[in-house]
Amino acid sequence: MGRTNPTYRDALRAIEERWAEFRRALRRRDQPRFDRLFEYARKHADASGLLNHQNPLLPALLSIDLEQEGRLDDHEERLSELEKRLSETVVEQQQSSAEGNTGGVE
């Protein structure tokens, strides 16, 4: 029988194991962030497996980038919505203040 190649998920697991000492050396607050990066890579394991790249770390890094881009897009959208609401509130307050100032002058 022919040889079987390890799956991308197996390769990703091996990468994570090789980086285990690095993870242990991180500050406690950074360890969950490190773990999250590998979660991002696992989310795209199907696409990365189809690529069948010689270096499985490269598709993992691109997968992490894709997830972070998505998070940035979400944050930018939320920020735009908050800025819009804040702007509307400021305009309403200015209008309310202007109406209050002119109402008593006759």
Side-chain angles (χ1 to χ4, degrees):
M1 295 259 107
R3 259 196 267 168
T4 59
N5 292 332
T7 66
Y8 176 77
R9 291 177 197 279
D10 292 337
L12 188 58
R13 201 170 304 117
I15 292 169
E16 192 170 6
E17 288 171 8
R18 282 195 303 272
W19 284 82
E21 287 185 39
F22 176 84
R23 183 193 180 280
R24 276 192 298 275
L26 290 172
R27 296 176 191 263
R28 287 211 188 278
R29 71 171 190 261
D30 290 330
Q31 290 177 356
R33 294 174 183 148
F34 177 89
D35 296 339
R36 196 175 316 130
L37 296 178
F38 277 94
E39 288 174 24
Y40 293 163
R42 282 189 288 275
K43 282 185 178 182
H44 297 277
D46 291 338
S48 297
L50 289 173
L51 182 61
N52 198 23
H53 197 277
Q54 288 179 328
N55 183 352
L57 185 57
L58 294 178
L61 293 174
L62 186 61
S63 297
I64 291 166
D65 285 343
L66 284 171
E67 286 295 316
Q68 290 181 339
E69 279 295 310
R71 288 184 59 154
L72 283 173
D73 288 346
D74 291 345
H75 290 308
E76 288 174 357
E77 186 176 314
R78 287 178 55 207
L79 180 59
S80 293
E81 180 61 30
L82 288 171
E83 287 174 336
K84 178 181 172 188
R85 288 172 43 196
L86 180 60
S87 173
E88 291 170 354
T89 302
V90 168
V91 168
E92 289 172 3
Q93 288 175 348
Q94 288 173 344
Q95 289 174 347
S96 175
S97 176
E99 290 171 1
N101 289 340
T102 59
V105 178
E106 287 187 29

